[in-house]
């Protein structure tokens, strides 16, 4: 499988003032040296606790945020080096589905205008074919074409998210960032949206970066998964391998925290102790050492190198070096 997207040593640091009247600044290391690839037609899962930098990575892959350093190659082109006109020509091939369907749709626009605005901006339809294309997109995401003249407040959360998906599909993109698209929905609706995304990916061959804090959701969707902690990817592997044989203590803790439906599998849990450190002042050495149950002395001072465990399974942990 060839790669559509290649992320190389991506960093994003945000300056933050120490106080209202202070001139000095701190730096939030939101993303700190992240690298991975997404193949054509592949769903890559990116998981981790809230605040670990997942969304920032996703937005940088679309150049909605400029990086502090690093590269993102889309179809062989470094998007951060492209001039504005060439980047604008590339944008229809990359789209995003936002986390909150309640705030991502303009309440003053009809569904037809929400979905069709990009079609008009990029001149993909004529006046005669506009309404037909919008109705076709609504049908594709499981909504009735007669909804096209309605407003967002007339829909449920799941229906709103389907409208957001239709908007993302309008320009036939090659790549979609799914930024926690089901976290704001009820469990039964989550399953519908997951099945919809899966069928669309299979039918259209779209590459996706699926961002989530829920390993159960990622398990059903993605072919490969990366686990982020405090701005860094600590482990990446084929999804089935990550779920059956996790290597990093953080990944093991995330999997142990997953709800288990089978009462026989429910045992005593050992939740992680302590809070996630501040990204303004991350711990020296391995960032996870302040919460790791298997911490060693050199974890506190030395940054772990990447270790290849075979079959695409990589981990950053001193237990394997």
């Amino acid at each position: 499988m060839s790669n559509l997207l290649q992320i190389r040593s991506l960093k994003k640091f945000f300056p933050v003032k120490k106080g209202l009247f202070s001139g000095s600044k701190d730096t939030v290391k939101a993303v700190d040296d992240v690298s991975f690839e997404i193949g054509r037609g592949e769903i890559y899962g990116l998981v981790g606790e809230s605040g670990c930098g997942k969304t920032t990575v996703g937005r940088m892959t679309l150049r909605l945020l400029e990086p502090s350093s690093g590269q993102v190659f889309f179809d062989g082109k470094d998007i951060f080096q492209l001039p504005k006109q060439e980047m604008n020509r590339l944008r229809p091939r990359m789209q995003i589905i936002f986390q909150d369907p309640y705030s991502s749709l303009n309440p003053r626009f009809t569904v037809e205008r929400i979905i069709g605005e990009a079609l008009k901006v990029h001149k993909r339809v004529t006046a005669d074919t506009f309404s037909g294309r919008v109705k076709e997109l609504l049908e594709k995401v499981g909504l009735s074409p007669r909804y096209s003249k309605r407003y967002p407040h007339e829909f449920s959360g799941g229906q709103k998210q389907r409208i957001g998906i239709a908007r993302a599909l309008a320009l036939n993109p090659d790549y979609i960032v799914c930024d926690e698209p089901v976290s704001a929905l009820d469990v039964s609706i989550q399953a519908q949206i997951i099945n919809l995304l899966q069928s669309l990916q299979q039918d259209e061959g779209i590459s996706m970066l699926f961002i989530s804090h829920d390993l159960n959701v990622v398990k059903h969707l993605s072919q490969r998964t990366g686990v982020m902690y405090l701005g860094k990817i600590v482990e990446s592997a084929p999804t089935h391998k990550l779920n059956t044989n996790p290597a990093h203590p953080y990944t093991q803790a995330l999997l142990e925290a997953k709800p288990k439906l089978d009462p026989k599998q429910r045992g005593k849990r050992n939740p992680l102790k302590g809070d996630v450190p501040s990204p303004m002042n991350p711990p020296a050495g391995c960032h996870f050492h302040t919460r790791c149950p298997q911490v060693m002395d050199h974890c506190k001072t030395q940054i772990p190198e990447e270790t290849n465990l075979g079959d695409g399974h990589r981990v950053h942990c001193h237990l394997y070096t």
Side-chain angles (χ1 to χ4, degrees):
M1 180 192 299
S2 61
N3 292 321
L4 176 68
L5 208 74
Q6 294 174 298
I7 292 89
R8 294 283 176 264
S9 303
L10 205 57
K11 295 183 180 183
K12 182 62 178 178
F13 299 163
F14 293 99
V16 178
K17 279 191 175 182
K18 287 186 175 181
L20 185 62
F21 302 105
S22 173
S24 59
K25 295 181 179 180
D26 275 336
T27 300
V28 174
K29 297 182 178 180
V31 177
D32 191 4
D33 199 14
V34 164
S35 300
F36 60 94
E37 301 85 26
I38 301 176
R40 296 179 189 276
E42 180 187 30
I43 299 180
Y44 185 93
L46 194 60
V47 300
E49 293 170 290
S50 296
C52 69
K54 307 183 300 294
T55 294
T56 305
V57 170
R59 292 182 179 231
M60 282 194 288
T61 66
L62 300 173
R63 203 177 173 181
L64 296 179
L65 285 174
E66 296 288 330
S68 300
S69 65
Q71 298 170 298
V72 172
F73 292 95
F74 184 90
D75 212 4
K77 297 178 179 178
D78 185 354
I79 63 173
F80 300 124
Q81 300 300 320
L82 294 178
K84 185 177 180 180
Q85 283 188 332
E86 194 171 348
M87 189 65 212
N88 288 342
R89 287 195 294 269
L90 190 65
R91 286 206 178 279
R93 299 179 61 190
M94 44 175 65
Q95 297 294 317
I96 185 169
I97 302 168
F98 294 99
Q99 177 177 355
D100 186 3
Y102 296 89
S103 62
S104 63
L105 306 180
N106 192 323
R108 300 189 180 199
F109 287 4
T110 63
V111 168
E112 183 177 72
R113 184 173 176 185
I114 289 168
I115 296 174
E117 192 169 27
L119 293 170
K120 287 184 174 180
V121 169
H122 293 279
K123 300 177 180 178
R124 294 294 182 91
V125 291
T126 63
D128 295 335
T129 61
F130 175 73
S131 293
R133 175 59 177 156
V134 170
K135 290 175 180 178
E136 178 187 322
L137 287 163
L138 284 171
E139 287 183 329
K140 186 177 284 189
V141 297
L143 293 175
S144 172
R146 69 176 184 271
Y147 292 164
S148 63
K149 299 300 182 182
R150 295 186 181 182
Y151 289 85
H153 72 270
E154 299 178 68
F155 297 93
S156 67
Q159 289 174 320
K160 287 179 181 178
Q161 197 60 290
R162 288 174 185 265
I163 294 167
I165 293 170
R167 175 175 61 185
L169 293 172
L171 298 174
N172 296 316
D174 298 313
Y175 170 61
I176 297 178
V177 173
C178 304
D179 185 9
E180 303 216 32
V182 297
S183 64
L185 307 176
D186 292 337
V187 174
S188 59
I189 307 301
Q190 283 185 12
Q192 295 175 21
I193 299 299
I194 289 166
N195 291 336
L196 172 61
L197 289 170
Q198 200 164 36
S199 63
L200 287 171
Q201 186 268 335
Q202 291 169 354
D203 295 341
E204 309 287 338
I206 301 170
S207 301
M208 296 183 186
L209 175 62
F210 192 91
I211 297 168
S212 180
H213 61 270
D214 190 336
L215 279 162
N216 277 327
V217 172
V218 172
K219 179 181 177 181
H220 289 290
L221 265 176
S222 65
Q223 287 81 48
R224 290 186 300 129
T225 301
V227 180
M228 280 193 75
Y229 183 79
L230 213 62
K232 292 180 177 287
I233 290 184
V234 296
E235 184 172 5
S236 60
T239 302
H240 68 90
K241 185 179 284 291
L242 193 79
N243 279 268
T244 56
N245 189 28
H248 199 282
Y250 179 60
T251 311
Q252 294 168 5
L254 289 180
L255 288 168
E256 192 174 300
K258 287 197 310 182
K260 294 178 173 63
L261 300 179
D262 187 351
K264 295 179 182 178
Q265 294 181 353
R266 294 176 189 168
K268 185 179 179 182
R269 292 185 178 178
N270 295 307
L272 287 175
K273 296 179 181 179
D275 297 323
V276 180
S278 168
M280 282 195 291
N281 187 27
C286 174
H287 288 354
F288 187 60
H289 83 255
T290 57
R291 304 172 75 195
C292 182
Q294 303 179 62
V295 63
M296 299 175 286
D297 287 340
H298 57 282
C299 298
K300 301 174 183 179
T301 56
Q302 300 175 22
I303 298 174
E305 298 291 332
E306 181 181 85
T307 302
N308 190 340
L309 302 179
D311 298 325
H313 193 170
R314 296 178 174 85
V315 64
H316 293 257
C317 181
H318 286 302
L319 292 171
Y320 305 91
T321 54

